Amino acid sequence: MEKLLVVTEEEKEQVRKLYNVTETQIKEDVEIIKTWIVKQPHLPQHLTDNVIEKFLLRNKFRVERTKQKMDNYYSLRGHNKDLIRDFENVVPSKHVTTYLPLPKLGPNLERIVNMKILKPDPEDYDILEIVKLDLAIEEMCLPYDSSVGVRYLFDFSGFTLRHLTRINPIPLAKHIMLIEKAYSSRMLGLELVNFPAFASKILALMKLVLRPKVYQRVKIHKDMESVYEVIPKECLPVEYGGTLGTIPDMLRKWDKAIEDHHDFFVENFENVSVEHLRPLESKADEGFGMDGTFKKLAID
């Protein structure tokens, strides 16, 4: 996994400087979290120091916020087991779309994730399967990646109005809720390329499911030269004029990584909160839409 999610020692040091923390402080915060977990009978009790540290990183090393997001991880996944089922059977190279974290960090210590259609037939476009792929990859990134957030490169080549009409906004909104509130992933930018003529409809969907703060980070690029101003060539695959190798080669490596983590996915599926054991003073975040809010989503 280290070759798929490369973070150099220099970059790790830059991350610590960014958040003004030392390795000693991080270890102390990990111990604080471990002490807190013992007092949370509804949560799994076998977290590694590494996973706790990654949660701290994703929450800017804010201890109280990290506690809430870790609770979210187990409770929200438990509320949405239909979306996290069978991760062990995901094969990225055979999927209809990509959700491909690129191996080199961007200039702001962010992970670049490429999303594009691999199978252009709209009949193959299943939003539930797309969400499952995305979440499976996020599950893999959580214990391994030391980036400060994610910058998405959305390539709309081959995306038609028929594809858009097949998107149910409810699972899409749940997907984004899980990405942010359960996996603590910070969306630092959404770079859109090869944008189609019906752009207004896509933007309307994005505005519907994204928080306003995140929607403001959406940028439409007229060409790759514009993209290079945000994501340098050395951080991109060959298909985008970059030097990182080809998308098919990288997808095959992710195939192997998921295959190698088969047992992890099977076991982790059961690692969710046991709500009847939750202490009275601990309030569960049931997530956007658990009370029926999702039913209000619609696209004109």
Side-chain angles (χ1 to χ4, degrees):
M1 285 298 298
E2 287 75 13
K3 293 183 179 179
L4 296 180
L5 299 167
V6 176
V7 181
T8 67
E9 290 302 317
E10 180 182 355
E11 287 170 331
K12 290 179 181 179
E13 179 59 28
Q14 290 175 356
V15 170
R16 289 191 288 269
K17 287 183 178 179
L18 176 66
Y19 293 124
N20 193 29
V21 293
T22 65
E23 291 187 68
T24 299
Q25 288 173 317
I26 293 172
K27 290 179 181 178
E28 291 173 353
D29 287 345
V30 167
E31 290 303 316
I32 292 172
I33 298 290
K34 288 167 69 174
T35 300
W36 167 78
I37 290 174
V38 171
K39 300 175 183 178
Q40 309 302 315
H42 62 297
L43 298 181
Q45 297 292 311
H46 49 74
L47 277 76
T48 66
D49 289 8
N50 171 65
V51 168
I52 295 173
E53 182 177 331
K54 294 301 190 295
F55 270 110
L56 280 163
L57 166 61
R58 288 177 173 227
N59 290 284
K60 301 181 179 180
F61 295 98
R62 298 173 183 171
V63 172
E64 293 306 313
R65 178 174 169 178
T66 300
K67 291 177 183 178
Q68 182 61 60
K69 287 296 186 71
M70 291 179 70
D71 197 317
N72 287 354
Y73 172 77
Y74 293 106
S75 61
L76 294 178
R77 285 169 62 258
H79 282 301
N80 294 275
K81 295 195 80 171
D82 57 319
L83 297 180
I84 66 169
R85 191 182 305 277
D86 299 326
F87 280 175
E88 67 275 10
N89 296 322
V90 167
V91 183
S93 68
K94 298 185 182 301
H95 215 271
V96 65
T97 61
T98 67
Y99 189 91
L100 179 60
L102 302 178
K104 184 177 176 60
L105 291 188
N108 297 307
L109 304 172
E110 75 271 46
R111 182 66 58 193
I112 312 301
V113 174
N114 173 234
M115 301 182 71
K116 70 187 296 288
I117 288 180
L118 293 177
K119 298 179 181 179
D121 188 346
E123 294 302 314
D124 294 329
Y125 199 81
D126 183 337
I127 189 62
L128 286 175
E129 290 304 307
I130 292 169
V131 166
K132 186 168 291 188
L133 167 71
D134 298 359
L135 295 179
I137 299 296
E138 280 294 328
E139 197 76 69
M140 288 282 287
C141 289
L142 178 57
Y144 290 106
D145 198 8
S146 296
S147 64
V148 301
V150 178
R151 185 174 303 280
Y152 293 95
L153 177 61
F154 287 92
D155 183 352
F156 284 88
S157 298
F159 189 86
T160 68
L161 195 55
R162 286 182 63 199
H163 289 95
L164 183 63
T165 60
R166 292 181 62 85
I167 296 178
N168 181 338
I170 294 175
L172 181 61
K174 285 187 176 183
H175 162 244
I176 293 169
M177 177 269 294
L178 285 167
I179 290 286
E180 289 196 294
K181 299 183 77 173
Y183 292 97
S184 297
S185 183
R186 298 177 60 222
M187 299 183 185
L188 302 180
L190 298 92
E191 318 300 332
L192 316 184
V193 295
N194 299 313
F195 217 46
F198 50 94
S200 61
K201 294 184 180 296
I202 296 175
L203 292 174
L205 175 61
M206 287 186 164
K207 193 168 187 178
L208 188 67
V209 299
L210 294 174
R211 292 185 296 117
K213 182 178 179 179
V214 176
Y215 182 75
Q216 290 174 1
R217 297 170 183 168
V218 173
K219 182 177 181 180
I220 301 173
H221 295 270
K222 62 180 180 180
D223 53 33
M224 286 306 300
E225 291 301 321
S226 174
V227 173
Y228 297 151
E229 295 176 7
V230 183
I231 308 174
K233 288 184 179 182
E234 60 266 26
C235 299
L236 290 168
V238 170
E239 288 84 351
Y240 297 102
T243 58
L244 284 183
T246 68
I247 290 175
D249 284 346
M250 285 187 270
L251 288 175
R252 282 190 288 270
K253 292 176 182 177
W254 274 97
D255 290 350
K256 181 63 165 57
I258 289 181
E259 181 182 347
D260 290 345
H261 285 74
H262 177 278
D263 292 348
F264 161 75
F265 281 127
V266 172
E267 294 168 7
N268 201 49
F269 177 70
E270 301 298 337
N271 284 336
V272 297
S273 62
V274 183
E275 288 302 318
H276 72 272
L277 296 179
R278 179 181 291 275
L280 293 176
E281 67 274 12
S282 174
K283 183 179 179 181
D285 184 340
E286 295 186 341
F288 169 66
M290 294 304 150
D291 59 356
T293 308
F294 281 124
K295 296 177 182 178
K296 300 175 184 177
L297 296 180
I299 304 177
D300 294 329

